[in-house]
Amino acid sequence: MTHFENTLARRAVIKGAGLGLVAGALVEALPAQAATEGGEIWSAEYWAKKGDVPLWIYRKRLGAPKPGEPPRPVVFFVHGSSVTSRAFDLAVPGKGEYSLMNEFARYGFDCWTMDHENYGKSGRTSGNSDIASGVEDLKAAVEIVARESGRQKFHFVGESSGALRAGAYAMVAPERIDRLVFAAFTYKGEGSPTLKKRAEQLDYYRSHNMRKRDRDMIRSIATRDKPGTSDIAAVEALADVELQFGDQIPTGTYLDMTANLPVVLPEKVLAPVLLVRGEYDGIATVADLEEFYNKLPNGDRQFIILPGTAHSVVLAINRQLFWHVTRAFLTMPSPIAT
């Protein structure tokens, strides 16, 4: 059993009992957003509880839910180490659509996301919000999603450590998983220049639960691998909305990615998987991802490299490529059994 599996097992014993019972929601319908073809994008906020920790959940879809209507396919977006869920619903005036939630709502999906513990609007604790903590967050959130959407299985799309959170959750709750999209994922981290550089601060991550995340750090997400693959206006817009929550962010996922990989074991991920790598992404080598891909047990899997993109495919100038491959994968017809 890996370090991560030991951690997850301990937390399941400590926190698991009654998690579903304490999950609750305060639903607040928000003003309708810009009109789109087929109707207006409707949004709402919800709250779940992980023990005593309040977790903020956000939803977007075309039109408000109506009694008796068939449930729409649900896609849940899982954020990474240095940003909140705002990365999936970003407005960049004059630069076209950047909101992944808006785009997939127009495709007919019921779109959900959340702020993990110690991020954004969610509750603050003394913890470091590592991957195991993120799994517990998702356990609490899906109870709300199931109740409100009418679905029991969902697609998950995670970027960077969000992909690790989604994958780790898929290992322990396969009954909740429809399809998985892992963007900017890392398996063992071997040969990763980003993780090699990050590991220089390993002692700090082990001794501190928070780290500095200022404007320059946010800019580096889009510039460290290949400057020019993201529009600086988008990066500045993201920094503007992120810094309203302060310049401190948890260290837990950084610690896991530098000291505890692998945290997602391919043999235990049973659902269909799409691996998406930016051409210039330094978080994982092609060889690292190929090893993960080749060990996945489900034959319904794809590995795609997006040209002209780096680590953040969500913020990329070529983000439409990510939209295209993700939509195609999530809407793939079910194969006929042979």
Side-chain angles (χ1 to χ4, degrees), residues 4-331:
F4 172 74
E5 289 179 300
N6 276 319
T7 302
L8 200 57
R10 288 197 303 270
R11 292 191 179 184
V13 172
I14 295 169
K15 297 182 179 180
L19 248 184
L21 299 177
V22 300
L26 171 64
V27 184
E28 179 184 351
L30 302 180
Q33 307 299 312
T36 62
E37 292 184 12
E40 293 183 336
I41 294 179
W42 173 90
S43 59
E45 295 179 343
Y46 304 79
W47 290 92
K49 292 292 289 293
K50 182 181 68 172
D52 294 329
V53 182
L55 300 171
W56 185 77
I57 303 171
Y58 188 56
R59 179 188 191 185
K60 277 191 164 184
R61 48 168 277 169
L62 281 183
K66 297 178 182 178
E69 70 176 358
R72 300 179 188 183
V74 170
V75 57
F76 196 109
F77 298 104
V78 189
H79 72 73
S81 300
S82 300
V83 296
T84 68
S85 60
R86 302 328 170 273
F88 299 124
D89 193 33
L90 189 63
V92 188
K95 297 293 182 176
E97 184 64 88
Y98 268 87
S99 171
L100 201 59
M101 297 186 78
N102 283 352
E103 193 67 21
F104 276 75
R106 295 185 188 108
Y107 296 157
F109 290 93
D110 191 350
C111 301
W112 294 75
T113 191
M114 73 180 303
D115 287 340
H116 287 279
E117 178 184 326
N118 289 321
Y119 287 87
K121 293 185 178 180
S122 288
R124 297 298 189 267
T125 71
S126 60
N128 70 353
S129 302
D130 59 8
I131 300 299
S133 172
V135 170
E136 299 303 315
D137 295 340
L138 291 172
K139 286 180 181 178
V142 297
E143 299 300 325
I144 306 300
V145 179
R147 187 190 68 203
E148 297 296 324
S149 70
R151 291 271 186 176
Q152 297 300 313
K153 297 180 71 173
F154 323 112
H155 304 306
F156 286 82
V157 177
E159 187 178 46
S160 194
S161 66
L164 296 178
R165 289 182 174 112
Y169 175 72
M171 290 195 302
V172 299
E175 73 282 358
R176 288 293 197 190
I177 309 299
D178 197 339
R179 288 177 170 262
L180 296 163
V181 178
F182 297 157
F185 181 80
T186 187
Y187 176 35
K188 295 180 179 178
E190 296 172 351
S192 164
T194 298
L195 295 183
K196 181 180 179 181
K197 179 68 176 176
R198 194 174 292 175
E200 295 174 2
Q201 302 297 318
L202 182 55
D203 288 343
Y204 183 89
Y205 305 145
R206 282 179 167 148
S207 58
H208 295 76
N209 284 347
M210 302 294 286
R211 60 183 171 88
K212 189 172 183 179
R213 190 280 316 256
D214 58 10
R215 186 173 292 270
D216 284 342
M217 192 277 145
I218 294 172
R219 287 170 177 158
S220 75
I221 298 170
T223 61
R224 69 189 181 212
D225 297 319
K226 183 72 170 178
T229 52
S230 291
D231 191 323
I232 192 62
V235 181
E236 296 297 339
L238 180 63
D240 288 342
V241 296
E242 288 291 335
L243 291 174
Q244 67 180 305
F245 302 111
D247 66 354
Q248 299 292 310
I249 212 79
T251 58
T253 56
Y254 268 31
L255 177 59
D256 280 336
M257 295 171 81
T258 53
N260 300 323
L261 291 177
V263 296
V264 181
L265 305 180
E267 299 88 348
K268 296 186 177 182
V269 178
L270 306 181
V273 173
L274 169 62
L275 279 179
V276 180
R277 180 185 187 270
E279 178 184 5
Y280 303 108
D281 190 6
I283 202 76
T285 64
V286 171
D288 185 55
L289 297 179
E290 284 180 334
E291 182 179 355
F292 181 86
Y293 176 83
N294 289 333
K295 292 180 178 179
L296 289 168
N298 196 318
D300 188 352
R301 63 187 189 269
Q302 298 179 28
F303 178 21
I304 294 178
I305 297 176
L306 300 182
T309 61
H311 182 65
S312 180
V313 295
V314 172
L315 290 179
I317 290 172
N318 291 318
R319 61 198 177 280
Q320 291 90 345
L321 300 178
F322 178 58
W323 301 349
H324 176 83
V325 298
T326 299
R327 180 186 186 185
F329 184 72
L330 297 186
T331 57

